[in-house]
Amino acid sequence: GQSLEQPSEVTAVEGAIVQINCTYQTSGFYGLSWYQQHDGGAPTFLSYNALDGLEETGRFSSFLSRSDSYGYLLLQELQMKDSASYFCAVRDGHTGRRALTFGSGTRLQVQP
Amino acid sequence: SQTIHQWPATLVQPVGSPLSLECTVEGTSNPNLYWYRQAAGRGLQLLFYSVGIGQISSEVPQNLSASRPQDRQFILSSKKLLLSDSGFYLCAWKVDTYVADTQYFGPGTRLTVL
């Protein structure tokens, strides 16, 4: 089966940089995804890493190390609107690569 | 562009009552469709997924069922709700390819069972 671990909560100040870590265990690995969810809203896709290294999209970057079964999401120049929950996810090998298993989420609080 | 709709947005139901939640997708054909449930402050639990009309895979045995009567319509049902069915129900779609893992979520239905 699949399991993912990420911190439950992270607090940072506006303008700072924050890193949200994710470690995973999977029966077959096809990539690590990150989603953002604001309170009361639906998750939205942020990034996807299939290969080792860093993927950058504006203020957000995502890193993957397949040998360590580890990834992180890096948020730079934090803004108040970045306060949300962030989920890492891997493809579910049991369902033939067609579904995702999500971590429990990291709640990010950005303070002024 | 693609759009995903869910209704109702909010629902309060008594224990033992039936349930029907609907999800429709516009702007794409033959999507993979998913139902997730999210308890307060928790991650997303996959309930059902479908790769085509009439094809439903259940991930968690429970008193819920799903149907896909049309290509872009996905329905979540229950004959008798339990208190433990309360939660945020999310429908999602994905193009059936091996490339990336982008799932697009609907706005969700917040269900409270009393």
Side-chain angles (χ1 to χ4, degrees):
Chain A
Q2 279 69 226
S3 67
L4 301 100
E5 288 192 18
Q6 49 182 135
S8 59
E9 194 165 329
V10 173
T11 301
V13 297
E14 262 188 306
I17 299 172
V18 71
Q19 178 174 313
I20 299 173
N21 299 320
C22 174
T23 57
Y24 58 86
Q25 289 186 317
T26 64
S27 54
F29 181 75
Y30 306 105
L32 183 70
S33 301
W34 289 91
Y35 287 76
Q36 178 192 58
Q37 185 181 30
H38 287 99
D39 285 347
T44 56
F45 174 79
L46 287 178
S47 67
Y48 170 75
N49 294 70
L51 302 175
D52 291 351
L54 192 69
E55 293 281 344
E56 298 181 70
T57 309
R59 295 187 297 114
F60 293 3
S61 303
S62 56
F63 172 83
L64 176 66
S65 170
R66 289 176 296 170
S67 61
D68 296 322
S69 297
Y70 162 76
Y72 66 72
L73 180 69
L74 191 72
L75 296 83
Q76 304 181 70
E77 301 173 17
L78 280 174
Q79 302 175 9
M80 296 298 291
K81 68 178 181 179
D82 297 329
S83 292
S85 292
Y86 294 84
F87 296 89
C88 55
V90 293
R91 284 187 190 180
D92 190 334
H94 173 65
T95 55
R97 313 188 198 178
R98 286 166 164 162
L100 295 176
T101 298
F102 286 82
S104 298
T106 299
R107 187 172 181 85
L108 171 63
Q109 302 262 21
V110 180
Q111 297 177 339
Chain B
S1 62
Q2 299 86 8
T3 311
I4 180 168
H5 303 279
Q6 279 187 253
W7 64 90
T10 307
L11 194 59
V12 179
Q13 292 284 97
V15 169
S17 64
L19 174 74
S20 181
L21 303 180
E22 189 162 343
C23 170
T24 59
V25 181
E26 296 177 357
T28 187
S29 298
N30 196 32
N32 287 355
L33 296 173
Y34 308 87
W35 278 112
Y36 291 89
R37 178 170 62 197
Q38 186 177 34
R42 304 293 297 276
L44 286 79
Q45 178 190 28
L46 178 65
L47 301 176
F48 301 94
Y49 77 96
S50 170
V51 299
I53 296 174
Q55 301 179 62
I56 308 294
S57 295
S58 173
E59 295 301 305
V60 182
Q62 54 204 328
N63 67 319
L64 299 173
S65 62
S67 62
R68 185 170 177 175
Q70 300 180 44
D71 181 45
R72 288 168 287 181
Q73 184 185 29
F74 206 21
I75 297 172
L76 182 70
S77 304
S78 174
K79 293 182 179 178
K80 288 186 178 182
L81 284 169
L82 307 173
L83 286 174
S84 58
D85 291 324
S86 293
F88 192 38
Y89 287 81
L90 290 153
C91 180
W93 73 272
K94 175 185 175 297
V95 175
D96 189 17
T97 71
Y98 289 145
V99 177
D101 282 306
T102 306
Q103 289 193 3
Y104 302 93
F105 287 83
T109 295
R110 195 162 301 279
L111 172 66
T112 303
V113 182
L114 302 175

